[in-house]
């Protein structure tokens, strides 16, 4: 059993900041890449940022220079620091974790339930 719990979403004015957290718990033998995705109404879910177990990161072009993804391996937690927020950043943000539950287990992709981020102008 693996659970992902996101927190930190909310309502913020354009230009403001939010910090999202995603804590992963349960049967975790190896926690590999983690990432943040978002989905606006009527749109497809898109990758926002991703970080490997070794700390390598990548971002979608629209958030480069504004968002920073990081992780705390001791806490099995990934963060997304969002600065200079824009109305187009509005959406439900989902955490994803690639988890190997045991030595003999395949790597499975787990999703959190999402946290709402609303940026007003």
């Amino acid at each position: 059993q693996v659970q992902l719990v996101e927190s930190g979403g909310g309502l913020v004015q354009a230009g403001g900041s939010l910090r999202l957290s995603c804590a992963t718990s349960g049967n975790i033998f190896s926690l590999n890449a983690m990432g943040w995705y978002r989905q606006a109404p009527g749109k497809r879910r898109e990758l926002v940022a991703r970080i490997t177990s070794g700390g390598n990161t990548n971002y979608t072009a629209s958030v480069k220079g504004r968002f920073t993804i990081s992780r705390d391996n001791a806490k099995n937690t990934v963060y997304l620091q969002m600065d200079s927020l824009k109305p187009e950043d509005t959406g439900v943000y989902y955490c994803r974790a690639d988890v190997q539950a045991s030595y003999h287990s395949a790597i499975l992709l787990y999703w959190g339930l999402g946290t709402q981020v609303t940026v007003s102008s």
Side-chain angles (χ1 to χ4, degrees):
Q1 297 183 1
V2 175
Q3 302 84 39
L4 277 66
V5 180
E6 302 110 327
S7 62
L11 175 64
V12 65
Q13 290 185 319
S17 298
L18 287 172
R19 190 187 192 218
L20 306 183
S21 298
C22 174
T24 305
S25 61
N27 296 329
I28 302 174
F29 174 77
S30 179
L31 183 58
N32 300 304
M34 304 182 76
W36 289 95
Y37 296 71
R38 67 187 179 190
Q39 187 169 23
K43 294 187 177 181
R44 295 171 59 89
R45 186 176 299 185
E46 65 172 351
L47 173 70
V48 177
R50 181 178 180 270
I51 184 168
T52 69
S53 60
N56 292 326
T57 61
N58 62 277
Y59 302 86
T60 190
S62 63
V63 308
K64 287 182 178 178
R66 299 188 298 119
F67 291 10
T68 303
I69 189 170
S70 61
R71 64 192 290 164
D72 185 337
N73 291 327
K75 297 181 178 180
N76 290 334
T77 300
V78 63
Y79 306 93
L80 185 67
Q81 178 67 43
M82 304 185 294
D83 298 319
S84 301
L85 282 162
K86 304 175 181 179
E88 51 262 43
D89 295 318
T90 294
V92 178
Y93 283 67
Y94 298 90
C95 177
R96 196 193 84 176
D98 302 348
V99 179
Q100 186 176 0
S102 69
Y103 176 76
H104 55 80
S105 299
I107 298 175
L108 300 179
L109 312 182
Y110 289 88
W111 293 90
L113 296 179
T115 184
Q116 177 70 43
V117 171
T118 303
V119 184
S120 65
S121 59

